[in-house]
Amino acid sequence: MAPTTMLSVGIGGFLLGLLVSQLLASLRVENLDAVKTQAQSNCVVAKNERKEPSILSQNHVNKYDKFCKAVSVRKNPAGKGAASTKLAYDFNVAQYLEGGGDDVFQHSHDYLGIHSVIVEIGGNKGIFANTIHTKYNPKELHVIEPVTPMYVKLQERFQTSPAVMLHKFALSRTGGSIKMAYRTGNDAAAKFFPAGTKLDRGWEKATVEDVELKTFSDAWQAMGLDTVDLMNINIEGAEFEVVEALLAANMQGNIKNLQIQFHAHAGIDVDDRIGKRCEFHKILRRTHELVYNFDWVWEQWTLKT
């Protein structure tokens, strides 16, 4: 090949590479802008008003609707996750921590007190239950934890706290039983493990246990509940099944405040996480208002008055 030809090919290749690089950078910027909109970073608690989260503006809700419509057609296979969810998670963890983290959001609820009834789905080590019990001394704090080792630890932790009531079952659209995989130790966690599925990376050595399933209506009756002041859900990907069960039972109106951690990557057999979460939001907004939202980190909804 002649030197001039080689030079033109080299320059052409360089320009093409530069064009592709700029295009990818542009896509990343556009994606991040969408994530920032989705993150609603300007609508969460202001630093000087951390104790009283403000309701999101209708304008921002409309923007979020557009984002949902744009991404709901994308598939987000279990264990993989779309790039937008990864960007959203990374962006929102930083925003969440900058805004005050658990102390300001997950553990701060000025409406709670000695007459409050609280339900935690996913008791784990009891960190949330212990913090809320110590801080607000509620009338009843129901903790749902189906996995035996964690349930036993909770029994030990709250044996002198009669207001903390433990329940050993999981929630689903149907009753029966299901296998759950769990890890103990510093990274203690548990998740549904339906038949025919494979455990995610990092869960290969997890222990599997059969656990009881209850529907929301059966669980409500078993716990003797009517209206709940706060429900906290953090269950490593199984929240998609549980929130779907809650909405299918049409019991969201019994919950004054609903706090959820949706997981972008954890869990098993959850297809199209983005689309499902957006659909949940659409249904929840009929009865509730979004108080704060850090996508794939924490969000809270309050019942409309």
Side-chain angles (χ1 to χ4, degrees), residues 121-196:
I121 302 177
N124 199 269
K125 296 179 179 180
I127 295 173
F128 173 82
N130 185 66
T131 302
I132 295 298
H133 180 254
T134 302
K135 192 172 183 179
Y136 298 109
N137 191 27
K139 177 183 176 182
E140 297 178 18
L141 203 173
H142 297 266
V143 181
I144 297 174
E145 177 51 65
V147 173
T148 299
M150 297 177 187
Y151 182 82
V152 171
K153 290 290 186 183
L154 291 170
Q155 285 182 313
E156 295 171 355
R157 184 166 193 169
F158 296 111
Q159 59 183 330
T160 60
S161 305
V164 180
M165 289 163 266
L166 307 178
H167 307 276
K168 194 177 185 300
F169 55 78
L171 291 162
S172 181
R173 288 167 293 177
T174 59
S177 65
I178 194 172
K179 292 185 182 298
M180 287 197 76
Y182 66 86
R183 304 180 303 209
T184 56
N186 293 333
D187 63 342
K191 62 174 78 176
F192 285 160
F193 181 37

Side-chain angles (χ1 to χ4, degrees), residues 17-160:
L18 183 62
L19 179 62
V20 171
S21 176
Q22 290 177 336
L23 176 60
L24 289 174
S26 173
L27 287 173
R28 282 196 295 270
V29 169
E30 289 178 5
N31 196 15
L32 184 57
D33 286 343
V35 169
K36 286 182 178 180
T37 299
Q38 186 189 17
Q40 305 174 349
S41 58
N42 295 327
C43 297
V44 298
V45 180
K47 289 185 178 179
N48 61 346
E49 298 177 344
R50 288 182 177 178
K51 294 297 182 181
E52 298 180 6
S54 57
I55 300 299
L56 299 176
S57 69
Q58 184 60 44
N59 179 51
H60 211 96
V61 168
N62 292 339
K63 287 182 179 179
Y64 186 74
D65 278 340
K66 290 181 180 178
F67 180 88
C68 284
K69 289 176 182 177
V71 300
S72 62
V73 295
R74 271 186 227 159
K75 289 296 180 183
N76 185 12
K80 296 181 180 179
S84 58
T85 61
K86 181 65 170 67
L87 276 171
Y89 177 77
D90 292 343
F91 180 81
N92 280 298
V93 166
Q95 293 293 309
Y96 182 77
L97 295 175
E98 183 181 343
D102 289 348
D103 290 342
V104 171
F105 299 102
Q106 191 194 8
H107 299 156
S108 184
H109 305 277
D110 291 345
Y111 52 85
L112 295 180
I114 59 173
H115 301 295
S116 298
V117 177
I118 302 164
V119 174
E120 181 187 15
I121 302 177
N124 199 269
K125 296 179 179 180
I127 295 173
F128 173 82
N130 185 66
T131 302
I132 295 298
H133 180 254
T134 302
K135 192 172 183 179
Y136 298 109
N137 191 27
K139 177 183 176 182
E140 297 178 18
L141 203 173
H142 297 266
V143 181
I144 297 174
E145 177 51 65
V147 173
T148 299
M150 297 177 187
Y151 182 82
V152 171
K153 290 290 186 183
L154 291 170
Q155 285 182 313
E156 295 171 355
R157 184 166 193 169
F158 296 111
Q159 59 183 330
T160 60

